[in-house]
Amino acid sequence: MSQPDADARTPTRTIKVDYLSRVEGEGGLYVRAHNGQVLDVKLNIFEPPRFFEAFLRGRHFQEVPDITARICGICPVAYQMSSVHALEAALGVKPAPEIRMLRRLFYCGEWIESHALHIYLLHAPDFLGYESAVSLAADYPDVVKRALRLKKVGNDILEMMAGRATHPVAACVGGFYKAPRKRELLRFRNELQWALEAAMETVKLVAGFQFPALEPDYEFVSVSHPNEYPMNERRIVSSKGVDIEPGDFESVFLEEHVQRSTALHSTRADKGTSYFVGPLARLNLNFEKLLPAAKEAARASGVKWPCRNPYRGIIARGIELVHAIEEALAIIENYQEPASSRVEINVHAGEGCAATEAPRGVLYHRYRINDRGLVEFAKIVPPTAQNYRRMEDDLRLLLPGILERPEAEITHLCEQLVRSYDPCISCSTHFLKLRLERT
């Protein structure tokens, strides 16, 4: 809703957009400008926190994966598996190679459904001039049908592996409660082969969008594996020299409380600067680890990689969609049923942490358990919270060039930028109403 002053020529105006649409969550954006100069930008996150870290304390470690899966309905696997990896580090557990591959398939299923959702239903309407996917479907029904079918491919993989697509329950510390049979996986082969072609077409579609000009000097951060595209293991690296084990995360990246927000903001501990996590960061830092079809799609997109334009993150998501489908096919073809779906665990006191790649970026978990296997401490750092400060910085760079445009256009461009990050605000708290104050 736009509320200009009675005389639009007066120097002070206030713009309010009650909620940012097409993101998971609620919140507000406050902008103060004077004589065309942006003086202040604040993302105001106003939903009360949900205290997951607090009510994990006192729980048995095997309860934790099922609880953390409830943090997000769109990317429950990342929360569930991050807790599993961290608790396995605390307990010295190392699952069999077959279980490790199943876990990557688990992540692939989530990346497929989440990226398809964001690309087509949450972000593409911005570029195509539609208010929502519903209005888009009226003119382009085949495009939206493709989106829904792609999302269903990912959901079906999760449901087969974990009993249900939302808040899965099959993963546990040490493996899975039940491992699928190979014949169960092979039944997805034909649909995944269709999905691979559909994902390639998706990259062609989004690469043809018109993108606003914005190229900040980002510090991109992601998990990094020596031989694989990052999903669930190894070190944390950045485009500006960070190369650490997950255990060093809290010494390099700092969470800060800001009065206007119930969500913490993250910065580099030594510099106080923001950083960028998510598909664009992963692709820029790990381009050579893409599988062949994904690499072909990236090169055919016409984008010069590395790319610093946040709006082109939709292309990075499309390329990762291709990669996730391609990897899922490879895992299914080469899958060997494990002798046991999980390893025996010798319970003892310990502390462990892990960083994995949720669809929206680096997700960090740390747990301390006692000798009875009960959680004494839990810390969870979601990707959206890590990007809040960076989103504010991007808006500060964007706004000076658009302040003289109509209120509706300013609002749209700000929302479009935030949606480029695909924030899952409920994972930490909630997100957007815009208030623009000119003086």
Side-chain angles (χ1 to χ4, degrees):
M1 178 177 65
S2 178
Q3 295 179 328
D5 291 346
D7 184 352
R9 295 170 295 177
T10 56
T12 302
R13 292 188 295 171
T14 299
I15 300 174
K16 290 184 179 179
V17 180
D18 288 335
Y19 295 100
L20 178 68
S21 61
R22 287 185 272 121
V23 300
E24 209 295 305
E26 305 162 2
L29 172 63
Y30 167 78
V31 177
R32 185 161 63 93
H34 179 69
N35 289 337
Q37 298 296 313
V38 177
L39 303 180
D40 198 10
V41 175
K42 294 177 181 177
L43 291 177
N44 302 314
I45 311 304
F46 49 75
E47 181 182 316
R50 294 178 295 160
F51 301 114
F52 267 86
E53 294 166 328
F55 62 71
L56 285 170
R57 293 199 292 267
R59 299 280 189 167
H60 189 269
F61 70 86
Q62 285 290 25
E63 293 182 86
V64 173
D66 289 344
I67 295 172
T68 55
R70 269 87 176 159
I71 293 175
C72 183
I74 300 173
C75 48
V77 169
Y79 281 92
Q80 184 175 65
M81 292 307 306
S82 295
S83 67
V84 166
H85 285 293
L87 289 164
E88 287 178 349
L91 293 163
V93 174
K94 188 175 181 180
E98 294 86 356
I99 296 299
R100 184 179 181 278
M101 284 295 98
L102 273 179
R103 288 176 171 179
R104 286 189 69 85
L105 179 62
F106 209 26
Y107 273 87
C108 286
E110 178 164 275
W111 278 28
I112 293 166
E113 60 87 11
S114 178
H115 282 352
L117 171 69
H118 178 262
I119 291 167
Y120 282 99
L121 305 184
L122 304 182
H123 205 195
D126 282 334
F127 296 98
L128 297 172
Y130 290 87
E131 183 182 56
S132 68
V134 174
S135 56
L136 177 64
D139 292 337
Y140 297 98
D142 291 341
V143 170
V144 176
K145 286 178 182 177
R146 179 168 67 194
L148 295 175
R149 186 175 172 184
L150 276 167
K151 187 178 187 310
K152 188 175 186 298
V153 171
N155 284 344
D156 286 348
I157 291 173
L158 298 183
E159 187 171 350
M160 180 275 301
M161 292 188 66
R164 56 194 186 195
T166 304
H167 308 324
V169 293
C172 63
V173 179
F176 289 90
Y177 290 114
K178 179 183 178 182
R181 306 299 297 270
K182 181 154 187 171
R183 65 174 180 271
E184 295 177 298
L185 298 184
L186 287 175
R187 68 183 176 89
F188 291 101
R189 184 166 47 192
N190 290 343
E191 192 66 1
L192 281 166
Q193 288 169 343
W194 169 86
L196 186 59
E197 293 299 320
M200 297 287 282
E201 289 300 315
T202 299
V203 177
K204 291 179 184 178
L205 171 68
V206 299
F209 292 163
Q210 295 297 310
F211 298 96
L214 184 67
E215 292 195 358
D217 182 21
Y218 290 122
E219 178 168 18
F220 293 113
V221 176
S222 84
V223 172
S224 180
H225 187 281
N227 305 313
E228 300 169 333
Y229 197 77
M231 280 186 181
N232 58 345
E233 286 183 25
R234 298 298 177 93
R235 300 177 70 82
I236 301 167
V237 302
S238 88
S239 57
K240 296 192 176 181
V242 171
D243 188 352
I244 59 172
E245 292 288 344
D248 296 320
F249 180 90
E250 293 174 61
S251 65
V252 176
F253 302 104
L254 176 68
E255 286 191 298
E256 300 176 317
H257 175 71
V258 291
Q259 187 174 4
R260 63 184 179 273
S261 174
T262 54
L264 299 176
H265 284 209
S266 295
T267 61
R268 281 287 304 272
D270 55 346
K271 303 175 182 178
T273 54
S274 61
Y275 58 97
F276 188 125
V277 302
L280 193 63
R282 286 192 293 259
L283 190 60
N284 283 330
L285 292 169
N286 301 276
F287 185 92
E288 292 305 321
K289 296 165 191 171
L290 289 169
L291 292 174
K295 193 174 291 185
E296 176 188 342
R299 289 173 172 155
S301 70
V303 177
K304 183 178 179 182
W305 306 99
C307 169
R308 299 201 313 272
N309 185 323
Y311 294 99
R312 293 182 188 268
I314 194 170
I315 302 177
R317 278 188 174 82
I319 293 163
E320 286 196 337
L321 179 62
V322 174
H323 178 94
I325 295 166
E326 190 175 7
E327 180 163 349
L329 273 167
I331 292 171
I332 286 171
E333 293 289 351
N334 297 296
Y335 175 60
Q336 299 293 322
E337 295 178 17
S340 175
S341 67
R342 53 184 168 144
V343 299
E344 294 294 325
I345 297 173
N346 177 28
V347 179
H348 58 82
E351 185 167 349
C353 58
T356 79
E357 286 288 347
R360 290 154 187 82
V362 177
L363 172 59
Y364 171 79
H365 285 225
R366 177 163 66 91
Y367 299 92
R368 183 172 66 248
I369 59 175
N370 62 26
D371 56 7
R372 293 183 296 158
L374 302 181
V375 175
E376 293 185 335
F377 173 85
K379 183 179 179 69
I380 300 170
V381 184
T384 293
Q386 294 179 72
N387 275 335
Y388 276 138
R389 181 68 60 84
R390 185 62 249 177
M391 283 188 274
E392 286 188 344
D393 289 348
D394 278 4
L395 288 162
R396 287 189 185 93
L397 294 173
L398 172 71
L399 282 159
I402 64 173
L403 281 175
E404 300 309 313
R405 300 187 188 186
E407 286 95 336
E409 188 174 350
I410 295 171
T411 298
H412 172 75
L413 287 169
C414 289
E415 289 185 336
Q416 186 181 19
L417 177 59
V418 172
R419 280 192 286 265
S420 295
Y421 282 84
D422 187 18
C424 190
I425 293 157
S426 289
C427 289
S428 47
T429 51
H430 259 156
F431 199 68
L432 181 87
K433 80 183 172 184
L434 169 65
R435 182 180 172 210
L436 172 59
E437 185 177 306
R438 303 180 193 268
T439 60

